[in-house]
């Protein structure tokens, strides 16, 4: 077999389908997010980022940066190893305490990313609980799917947010069989929200644990940023809440929050925790500062809601098709991978606007989109330029618009 030719052929196929991904070389401007410099060979240009998961701009908040600088000066760069050997620092302990408090749980456990926390926690729980059945929402994130697969536990997939289908699957099982319902609160590609209360009702009725991924909700929803479950007063009914520090909190890392025994169980048996170098102390300090700030400040969340509503209204006014949902995510639907990438390229090249195309396999073929995430630090001028550019490119690509009268 000619291995190199195989690799090249597979990449060519992606390019021909319009699904090949190209990284933009970006340098964010400290204190001026969402502005950044795009470097292309020897050339540079200024761009505005409209697709960041740093939803509130906390990655450049003064309190976060000050905490990281202080921790770096005090503790140096790295943690020194895995948490079990030499990598547990005082900053990790403080951060886990902040996270447990955020979700009103007894304990929390840090991981190097949200992907790792899902993979490690789900694979550990499902593999070590005897005869565990996992019931997984059809649109769960790849990290959840990989964790469930790695566990080799039996898994049944229920139709997305369909509690009637979930109950059908649960009712077919013996009441005393261990069961784990795995789902998300905010689904990142469509921006829809799970019926958490109804899922908790079923979990209690059929003796199941609940595993809730809140990565696209923590920091953004609830009185203190605890997520959708906090907003709806349901945190006490969730067995385990999983979240990230790399989105609304603006740093990096993942975590789970649950009872002390459950967190200790994962800490003691999860290979994805045991054999991974710990987060740098400065990262942990920055994340703790971000969480503390958003527990008491509503300013960022309130401004973001206003900006999201403004962008939605402006897109509707010119007939740009976008998915209506109750979250902060605005999926602008293109429906063609080549045109989706073309629009993304032209936004960058002609208008200085950075929005990555979302194509297969992240979303199903035929549902290609631009995923827009307005933040409190986008200005009114930023919104004007975005809407004008999309209107221009929609006409140029001869894409259908929403009927104005039907809105």
């Amino acid at each position: 077999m000619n291995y190199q030719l195989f690799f090249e052929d597979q990449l060519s196929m992606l390019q021909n389908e319009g699904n090949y991904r190209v990284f933009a070389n970006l340098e964010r401007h400290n204190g001026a997010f969402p502005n950044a410099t795009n470097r292309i060979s020897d050339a540079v240009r200024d761009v505005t980022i409209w697709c960041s998961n740093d939803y509130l701009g906390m990655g450049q908040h003064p309190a976060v940066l000050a905490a990281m600088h202080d921790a770096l000066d005090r503790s140096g760069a790295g943690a020194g190893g895995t948490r079990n050997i030499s990598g547990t620092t005082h900053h990790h302990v403080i951060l886990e305490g902040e996270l447990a408090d955020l979700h009103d749980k007894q304990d929390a456990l840090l991981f190097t990313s949200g992907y790792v926390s899902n993979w490690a926690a789900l694979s550990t729980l499902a593999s070590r609980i005897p005869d565990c059945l996992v019931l997984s929402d059809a649109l769960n994130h790849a990290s959840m799917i990989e964790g469930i697969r790695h566990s080799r536990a039996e898994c049944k997939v229920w139709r997305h947010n369909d509690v009637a289908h979930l109950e059908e699957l649960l009712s077919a099982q013996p009441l005393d069989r261990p069961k784990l319902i795995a789902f998300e609160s905010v689904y990142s590609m469509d921006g829809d929200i799970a019926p958490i209360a109804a899922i908790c009702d079923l979990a209690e009725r059929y003796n199941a644990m609940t595993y809730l991924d809140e990565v696209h909700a923590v920091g953004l929803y609830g009185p203190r940023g605890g997520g959708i479950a906090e907003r709806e007063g349901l945190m006490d009914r969730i067995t385990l809440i999983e979240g990230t520090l790399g989105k609304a909190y603006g740093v990096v890392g993942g975590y789970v929050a649950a009872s002390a025994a459950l967190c200790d169980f994962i800490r003691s048996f999860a290979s994805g925790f045991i054999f991974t170098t710990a987060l740098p102390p400065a990262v942990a300090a920055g994340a703790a500062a971000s969480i503390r700030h958003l527990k008491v400040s509503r300013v960022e969340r309130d401004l973001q809601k206003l900006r999201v509503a403004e962008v939605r209204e402006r897109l509707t006014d010119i007939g740009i098709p976008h998915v209506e949902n109750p979250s902060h995510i605005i999926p602008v639907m293109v429906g063609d991978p080549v045109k989706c990438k073309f629009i993304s390229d032209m936004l960058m090249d002609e208008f200085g606007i950075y929005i990555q195309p979302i194509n297969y396999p992240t979303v199903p073929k035929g549902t290609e989109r631009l995923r827009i995430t307005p933040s409190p630090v986008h200005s009114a001028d930023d919104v004007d330029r975005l809407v004008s550019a999309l209107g221009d490119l929609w006409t140029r690509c001869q894409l259908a618009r929403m009927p104005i009268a039907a809105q």
Side-chain angles (χ1 to χ4, degrees), residues 135-151:
L135 298 110
S136 177
D137 185 282
L139 293 189
N140 276 343
H141 190 264
S143 58
M144 302 175 76
I145 295 169
E146 287 296 325
I148 295 165
R149 284 177 178 167
H150 183 74
S151 75

Side-chain angles (χ1 to χ4, degrees), residues 89-104:
T89 73
H90 186 52
H91 291 293
H92 295 100
V93 175
I94 290 173
L95 176 54
E96 286 173 340
E98 290 287 351
L99 290 165
D101 172 76
L102 175 68
H103 295 294
D104 198 21

Side-chain angles (χ1 to χ4, degrees), residues 3 6 47 55 57 81 99 117 143 165 292 307-308 314 316-317 363 369 376 378 388 407:
Y3 298 110
F6 171 77
V47 299
Y55 293 129
L99 290 165
S117 57
S143 58
H165 187 218
R292 281 194 293 268
R307 194 61 78 210
V308 169
R314 295 285 299 278
T316 298
D317 287 345
V363 295
R369 66 199 66 183
H378 283 101
S388 175
Q407 297 165 21

Side-chain angles (χ1 to χ4, degrees), residues 58 63-64 67 91 94-95 97-98 101-102 224 249 284-297:
M58 292 300 295
V64 175
H91 291 293
I94 290 173
L95 176 54
E98 290 287 351
D101 172 76
L102 175 68
R224 302 196 307 157
Y249 290 122
S290 184
I291 293 165
R292 281 194 293 268
H293 176 82
L294 290 175
K295 281 179 179 178
V296 297
S297 174

